Amino acid sequence: MGGERVPLADRPLTEPHPSRLPPDHPHRGRILAAHAAALAGAQAGYPDPETGLFVLTAGFLARRGTCCGRGCRHCPYVAD
């Protein structure tokens, strides 16, 4: 997507789209806990509990106003 503002998907920022973090993902609980802590601390992201890679929060991505199209785990723009 380009630079135009895009509406957020109709779900809480705490809940990633199932295509980005499936309900049966083996580390889902740990990932969601790390994401929730980063959201609560107004942090841009958190280290993934499994890989250590930095993952952006839905809050940070929502403040950007657009989807970058890179498949972010917590993208708040991915609709059903």
Side-chain angles (χ1 to χ4, degrees):
M1 289 188 164
E4 74 275 359
R5 279 196 131 345
V6 178
L8 297 176
D10 188 24
R11 66 174 181 281
L13 292 180
T14 55
E15 186 60 36
H17 191 274
S19 69
R20 303 294 173 93
L21 184 63
D24 61 349
H25 188 285
H27 301 287
R28 183 178 170 87
R30 292 174 55 206
I31 289 167
L32 291 180
H35 181 250
L39 280 175
Q43 298 172 346
Y46 63 92
D48 180 81
E50 183 180 11
T51 65
L53 296 173
F54 191 75
V55 180
L56 296 172
T57 66
F60 175 84
L61 296 168
R63 287 188 296 276
R64 285 181 41 195
T66 61
C67 174
C68 67
R70 292 191 176 130
C72 299
R73 175 184 285 163
H74 299 287
C75 182
Y77 303 101
V78 177
D80 293 327

